[in-house]
Amino acid sequence: GAGVSQSPSNKVTEKGKDVELRCDPISGHTALYWYRQSLGQGLEFLIYFQGNSAPDKSGLPSDRFSAERTGGSVSTLTIQRTQQEDSAVYLCASSLAGRAQETQYFGPGTRLLVL
Amino acid sequence: GDSVTQMEGPVTLSEEAFLTINCTYTATGYPSLFWYVQYPGEGLQLLLKATKADDKGSNKGFEATYRKETTSFHLEKGSVQVSDSAVYFCALSDRGGGSEKLVFGKGTKLTVNP
């Protein structure tokens, strides 16, 4: 079946604008994760969804970042009032049930550039 | 909190050379351990994993053994190929942490020359 998909693949925005990033996980996967990959910080966890709930939001860097998941499927990560330090590749991953031993399958990422 | 430390490289080898990328971890629980690989222009994909002590993960000629006594999960390959050029990430997922999120090392860039 299809893997994890993300859109857009690239996004260029101006400082202060809001952006929405979309993730479509593998069908049937209840666990969904957002990560951020940047040169300075490496790969960082942002938020975890189990179904439509987000029991772990500990990685969100500020209150400008929010995410939701609807229908136990698609998730949207929203960044308000973007800053240049938000420039990074945003990765989405899904796994079957969110257990530690499961493989997380990653999407191709959204490359965000804030000018 | 949990953390992963891996040799950062970059590492440059000739084809058919032996590869070791060191990875050690700190975890509060009993983690599962992973190696992910990112080939040029591609997304992050699982290379291998091990979920309990003394397990050996293997794939595409790569191996890593979960060593609880030394908290290590070193990646090895006996004879690298040009096609192995990529960035390799060691990661853990800790049970009982609530989210079982992946905690990554900083990545090791490997270049294999013909």
Side-chain angles (χ1 to χ4, degrees):
Chain A
V4 178
S5 61
Q6 293 185 246
S7 60
S9 53
N10 290 282
K11 177 73 177 178
V12 181
T13 190
E14 293 178 349
K15 179 181 169 181
K17 302 278 192 185
D18 298 352
V19 295
E20 282 191 354
L21 313 180
R22 177 189 166 106
C23 171
D24 210 332
I26 293 172
S27 177
H29 282 193
T30 64
L32 186 148
Y33 303 80
W34 283 97
Y35 296 89
R36 179 168 72 172
Q37 185 174 24
S38 59
L39 277 176
Q41 302 299 320
L43 274 155
E44 309 171 276
F45 165 78
L46 297 177
I47 186 169
Y48 159 66
F49 286 93
Q50 179 57 250
N52 292 335
S53 302
D56 189 350
K57 306 179 185 180
S58 63
L60 294 178
S62 75
D63 58 9
R64 296 187 295 105
F65 288 72
S66 63
E68 65 174 12
R69 189 178 184 194
T70 55
S73 181
V74 172
S75 175
T76 303
L77 177 69
T78 301
I79 309 173
Q80 296 179 309
R81 305 181 302 281
T82 51
Q83 304 294 311
Q84 289 180 332
E85 62 261 29
D86 300 334
S87 296
V89 178
Y90 289 82
L91 296 171
C92 176
S94 70
S95 70
L96 189 61
R99 290 185 288 264
Q101 64 267 37
E102 291 172 357
T103 299
Q104 291 186 24
Y105 296 87
F106 283 80
T110 293
R111 186 175 298 272
L112 175 66
L113 178 60
V114 182
L115 300 176
Chain B
D2 296 349
S3 66
V4 174
T5 303
Q6 65 178 103
M7 56 187 284
E8 292 189 24
V11 175
T12 302
L13 296 173
S14 297
E15 207 164 23
E16 299 183 4
F18 184 84
L19 170 71
T20 300
I21 302 177
N22 289 335
C23 172
T24 57
Y25 67 89
T26 304
T28 53
Y30 194 151
S32 294
L33 302 174
F34 304 82
W35 278 99
Y36 278 83
V37 59
Q38 194 168 35
Y39 296 103
E42 297 187 18
L44 206 59
Q45 57 186 276
L46 178 73
L47 180 60
L48 54 84
K49 70 179 182 181
T51 60
K52 60 182 189 294
D54 300 324
D55 269 2
K56 178 186 285 188
S58 60
N59 186 25
K60 300 183 180 180
F62 290 89
E63 292 183 339
T65 301
Y66 189 140
R67 300 287 187 203
K68 196 163 188 284
E69 63 276 14
T70 55
T71 61
S72 65
F73 193 54
H74 305 319
L75 182 68
E76 296 183 337
K77 186 174 185 181
S79 176
V80 293
Q81 305 299 311
V82 172
S83 56
D84 294 327
S85 298
V87 181
Y88 293 81
F89 294 91
C90 185
L92 68 80
S93 179
D94 205 353
R95 290 168 221 180
S99 67
E100 280 75 28
K101 61 182 177 285
L102 286 168
V103 176
F104 288 92
K106 292 193 177 298
T108 302
K109 183 175 182 179
L110 171 66
T111 301
V112 180
N113 295 318

